[in-house]
Amino acid sequence: MVDYELLEEKIKSSGKKFYVIAEDCGLTTQGLYNKLEGKNEFKHSEIVNLCETLGLTTKDRERIFFN
């Protein structure tokens, strides 16, 4: 189960614009919003890109996506 709250904290603390994060993940802003609201699941490639974009550690990734 995805820890959406922690993921949103990491997005906010990254200092990056939301649309830039979405583009880096290969998503539209609406697509990323839908995933953050739990309407759609994250694909593996999106998780990888999101971790790279946000500079998440392996520990962060595990806590957010594989808790």
Side-chain angles (χ1 to χ4, degrees):
M1 177 169 222
V2 177
D3 186 339
Y4 295 105
E5 188 175 310
L6 180 56
L7 179 54
E8 288 182 18
E9 286 176 26
K10 295 292 184 180
I11 289 171
K12 288 177 184 174
S13 68
S14 74
K16 295 184 178 189
K17 302 271 187 201
F18 192 81
Y19 77 91
V20 172
I21 295 169
E23 286 177 0
D24 287 348
C25 294
L27 297 166
T28 63
T29 53
Q30 187 61 51
L32 184 54
Y33 278 122
N34 287 344
K35 291 182 187 275
L36 292 174
E37 292 175 358
K39 293 179 180 177
N40 298 318
E41 292 184 14
F42 282 95
K43 295 178 186 175
H44 175 62
S45 60
E46 294 165 345
I47 292 171
V48 170
N49 291 337
L50 192 57
C51 290
E52 289 177 7
T53 299
L54 298 177
L56 299 179
T57 65
T58 302
K59 184 178 178 181
D60 289 335
R61 184 189 69 217
E62 296 298 320
R63 287 177 54 208
I64 292 170
F65 295 104
F66 306 106
N67 197 5

